[in-house]
Amino acid sequence: MPQIRATVDGVRYDDQVEARLLLIHYLRERLGKVGTPVGCDTTNCGSCTVLMDGLSTKSCSVLAAQADGHDITTIEGLAEDGVLHPVQKAFHEAHALQCGYCTPGMIIAAVDLLRENPDPTDDEIREGLEGNLCRCTGYANIVRAVRSAAEVMRASAAEPGSVPQQATSTAGADAPAPTSGGAS
């Protein structure tokens, strides 16, 4: 059995894992990181998305052994000292969820998108979230939440030493039309 050393949500783990164990099952069953749901197990839905070295990764497509030497962030690891990440706050404030099943993966994908593009257009947000499916919302509030989080994060970055402020809801304001299929 392969020996791995991985950091998950800031904690280093040294474990032996079966060669065929998927990262999603390692996170949930071995480490108790149940905030990351098992979705389709085929990389189609994106519910299991985590950050691997800061990049969004579908954890059902990665073996736990491949996480050796990597830094993994799950939805539970985004909050710092009990303070929600701006994307988490924005999803709450903009009512960007209904059943919530896709929400962890959407939030993680949005964090990666905003790392790469801190000022995305609505079309760029939809494109950036394309691999994450939501069957409930129609995506309008998800796009609104990502836009709101981007504004908060840019404002926070512009003020040295400042703490990101809570995102505010823009519900009812110039909502983009829902799209069919994925977030694109």
Side-chain angles (χ1 to χ4, degrees):
M1 288 203 311
Q3 179 75 26
I4 66 167
R5 176 176 289 160
T7 301
V8 179
D9 295 338
V11 177
R12 191 173 110 192
Y13 294 90
D14 295 307
D15 277 318
Q16 284 191 327
V17 296
E18 289 184 39
R20 62 190 178 106
L21 181 66
L22 292 174
L23 179 58
I24 181 64
H25 298 299
Y26 174 71
L27 294 171
R28 290 179 59 82
E29 296 161 16
R30 274 293 218 14
L31 304 185
K33 299 293 183 175
V34 296
T36 302
V38 176
C40 63
D41 260 342
T42 62
T43 75
N44 287 318
C45 74
S47 291
C48 68
T49 303
V50 297
L51 295 175
M52 181 179 276
D53 297 330
L55 302 175
S56 62
T57 303
K58 293 178 180 179
S59 62
C60 75
S61 68
V62 176
L63 296 171
Q66 292 174 294
D68 184 38
H70 295 280
D71 184 21
I72 310 297
T73 304
T74 70
I75 191 71
E76 290 109 328
L78 281 182
E80 290 185 24
D81 298 323
V83 177
L84 292 178
H85 186 281
V87 176
Q88 290 172 307
K89 288 180 183 179
F91 266 65
H92 172 75
E93 291 295 317
H95 308 288
L97 59 108
Q98 284 183 16
C99 82
Y101 204 81
C102 70
T103 305
M106 286 283 185
I107 288 172
I108 293 286
V111 168
D112 186 25
L113 167 67
L114 295 177
R115 176 199 53 79
E116 185 178 309
N117 181 355
D119 192 11
T121 64
D122 287 357
D123 286 341
E124 290 169 331
I125 292 169
R126 285 187 174 86
E127 183 178 324
L129 299 178
E130 198 167 62
N132 294 75
L133 301 178
C134 177
R135 301 204 186 277
C136 300
T137 66
Y139 300 97
N141 288 351
I142 292 171
V143 172
R144 188 177 299 114
V146 175
R147 187 178 349 113
S148 176
E151 292 169 9
V152 168
M153 292 168 71
R154 283 193 314 274
S156 177
E159 296 179 23
S162 69
V163 176
Q165 296 179 5
Q166 186 167 342
T168 57
S169 175
T170 54
D174 64 309
T179 60
S180 61
S184 60

